[in-house]
Amino acid sequence: MTNKKTPHLTTQAVRVGLCSDKQHRALVPPIYLSATYALPGLNQKGEYDYSRTTNPTRNTLGRAIAELEHGHTGIITNTGMSAVLLVCQLLNPDDTVVIPHDCYGGTYRLFTHLAARGLFQLDIVDQNDAHALSRALSSAENRPKLVWIETPSNPLLRIYDIAAIAKQAKAAGALVAVDNTFLSPILQQPLGLGADIVVHSCTKFINGHSDVVAGAVVVREQAIGETLSWWANCLGVTGSAMDSYWVMRSLRTLPARLRCHQENTEQIVEFLSHHPAIKTLYYPGLTTHPQHALAKTQQLGFGSLVSFELVGDEAARQRFSEALQIFTLAQSLGGVESLINHPASMTHAAMPDDAKITAGISPALWRLSIGIEHPDDLINDLRNALATVAP
Ligand SMILES: *Cc1c(COP(=O)(O)O)cnc(C)c1O
């Protein structure tokens, strides 16, 4: 009797598409850059015809991410935002989409501006407020079609209960989409918790080297996959073969990178939690985090994003950011290099001031994306910079 088990996610990620080349038995799957494909003959269809529609390299990556997320179809898009835009194609003008009050700045901007043009109705709620959510889902004039979840949230790392929200959404007949960018399929599996759709900015952890901008949509059901694949081709938002190749290369090290990211993060959180310059520390791995217990059951790890409020004023913030030598002040997250972000003026600048206040984004707030450098160097860097604020 053979002992054939489904391989672990780590094994699946490492071995994406290996040994699939029939022509030369290349270990690594070749990249197909061709824009077009010769048809077998007049009125005959080939497997591929035009690369906006389908491309072997992009398809391999789409299948790989779909497998890791345990979904049916994976569609690779040219940015994370076009992945969000693609999901919006499921909405008609009468349909309501319920989004969180603290979602990614670009997602907030896209949903609010498309809704302002009448493409769909929008309800912005605190999804940890069960009453607010059920009000949004049961409102008579609303036709709730989609609930958008981001967990952990950006930048405060609030945790939302995917299974509980999905249950409420299902009862109201709405689909559930989860932006899984912050954890990747290695640390969170939304489809298994009842979501219908998973969205990624592959720019972040999945590519992980800050050199590609790309996105992905994974769906559980074939029918939705067909609709969204049709729209991806129609809109022209599919990813390039070259980008798909790089993302596939990076996917092989995703589990190993995440292990290192998380080990470093644990040490840094421990250091920050005792520092007098830190007013409030946000990390789901802290037992004091309000949804720590939920994070423990819902996630397979606490991730490598940490936020904190710094004591002091604008001058202290200037001193702090100028003193950092390793952490780079930059947009984005999830790369091998450590970055620091000031949400109010950077990632969330597109949010109106009152929405920032509702989302809890004050000028004192900073977000770290912990990379895979040596943890001692990272801690030293923070120690030196924090000393300019409070010794
Ligand atoms: C970056 C990001 C996006 C947008 O992705 P791009 O690749 O920058 O277009 C969407 N959601 C989250 C959570 C993100 O961090």
Side-chain angles (χ1 to χ4, degrees):
M1 209 177 90
T2 55
N3 183 15
K4 214 160 179 252
K5 275 195 192 152
T6 311
H8 289 275
L9 292 182
T10 303
T11 307
Q12 285 186 41
V14 170
R15 303 200 60 93
V16 174
L18 293 186
C19 306
S20 55
D21 171 40
K22 301 282 182 291
Q23 197 176 3
H24 301 299
R25 301 175 57 80
L27 172 70
V28 173
I31 174 170
Y32 291 90
L33 291 169
S34 187
T36 191
Y37 295 82
L39 299 184
L42 187 63
N43 292 326
Q44 291 177 36
K45 271 191 165 44
E47 191 183 352
Y48 295 96
D49 65 355
Y50 188 61
S51 273
R52 169 167 28 80
T53 320
T54 49
N55 171 281
T57 310
R58 189 174 66 230
N59 288 5
T60 305
L61 176 65
R63 272 196 306 274
I65 297 181
E67 265 174 37
L68 294 178
E69 289 284 5
H70 295 103
H72 182 277
T73 312
I75 303 166
I76 303 303
T77 56
N78 52 7
T79 66
M81 285 320 303
S82 60
V84 182
L85 177 66
L86 187 57
V87 176
C88 290
Q89 307 313 310
L90 296 171
L91 301 166
N92 290 312
D94 291 346
D95 293 333
T96 297
V97 51
V98 180
I99 68 164
H101 66 310
D102 56 355
C103 66
Y104 174 72
T107 302
Y108 185 91
R109 177 174 56 195
L110 180 69
F111 277 119
T112 51
H113 282 72
L114 292 182
R117 288 173 47 206
L119 294 181
F120 46 76
Q121 310 299 311
L122 187 63
D123 217 330
I124 305 174
V125 302
D126 176 352
Q127 296 176 348
N128 270 340
D129 178 346
H131 294 296
L133 185 63
S134 58
R135 214 176 311 123
L137 287 171
S138 62
S139 147
E141 69 270 32
N142 274 1
R143 285 211 310 165
K145 177 70 187 280
L146 178 69
V147 177
W148 189 269
I149 302 175
E150 262 184 54
T151 181
S153 75
N154 184 5
L156 285 174
L157 306 163
R158 297 189 181 108
I159 308 296
Y160 293 98
D161 189 334
I162 299 174
I165 297 172
K167 205 167 149 208
Q168 264 188 289
K170 285 285 124 68
L175 294 168
V176 172
V178 176
D179 185 330
N180 203 21
T181 299
F182 270 33
L183 291 174
S184 92
I186 306 302
L187 299 182
Q188 183 165 266
Q189 297 262 303
L191 298 184
L193 297 164
D196 303 283
I197 302 168
V198 171
V199 168
H200 281 286
S201 167
C202 299
T203 315
K204 315 297 167 53
F205 287 98
I206 289 183
N207 184 62
H209 293 72
S210 305
D211 53 5
V212 173
V213 175
V217 178
V218 176
V219 302
R220 186 158 56 174
E221 283 175 25
Q222 182 173 355
I224 298 176
E226 282 168 7
T227 303
L228 293 184
S229 298
W230 187 90
W231 273 110
N233 175 54
C234 177
L235 292 168
V237 297
T238 48
S240 76
M242 189 63 101
D243 288 348
S244 301
Y245 183 85
W246 290 125
V247 174
M248 203 184 319
R249 189 183 204 269
S250 297
L251 197 58
R252 303 188 195 288
T253 58
L254 175 63
R257 280 186 278 119
L258 283 169
R259 271 202 301 277
C260 190
H261 279 295
Q262 293 198 117
E263 276 171 26
N264 282 358
T265 304
E266 260 176 53
Q267 293 193 37
I268 287 169
V269 166
E270 166 62 21
F271 165 74
L272 292 175
S273 65
H274 300 298
H275 202 287
I278 306 292
K279 193 159 63 186
T280 323
L281 184 59
Y282 303 94
Y283 184 62
L286 288 167
T287 52
T288 50
H289 185 288
Q291 293 102 25
H292 174 69
L294 173 61
K296 231 167 130 177
T297 53
Q298 176 165 279
Q299 303 174 190
L300 299 158
F302 298 118
S304 55
L305 287 144
V306 182
S307 302
F308 57 83
E309 272 145 19
L310 200 60
V311 300
D313 54 6
E314 176 61 27
R317 292 194 276 280
Q318 284 290 348
R319 286 197 305 277
F320 170 69
S321 71
E322 279 165 24
L324 287 167
Q325 305 219 313
I326 295 179
F327 278 86
T328 308
L329 183 67
Q331 309 272 13
S332 202
L333 58 100
V336 291
E337 64 292 310
S338 294
L339 301 180
I340 182 161
N341 170 64
H342 183 247
S345 66
M346 294 167 63
T347 40
H348 290 66
M351 259 193 184
D353 284 343
D354 55 338
K356 272 186 214 158
I357 292 166
T358 313
I361 300 163
S362 80
L365 186 71
W366 296 85
R367 186 193 72 201
L368 301 178
S369 174
I370 312 290
I372 64 171
E373 301 94 336
H374 197 289
D376 294 353
D377 294 328
L378 297 177
I379 289 172
N380 261 331
D381 196 33
L382 290 169
R383 182 183 287 118
N384 292 338
L386 290 171
T388 68
V389 178

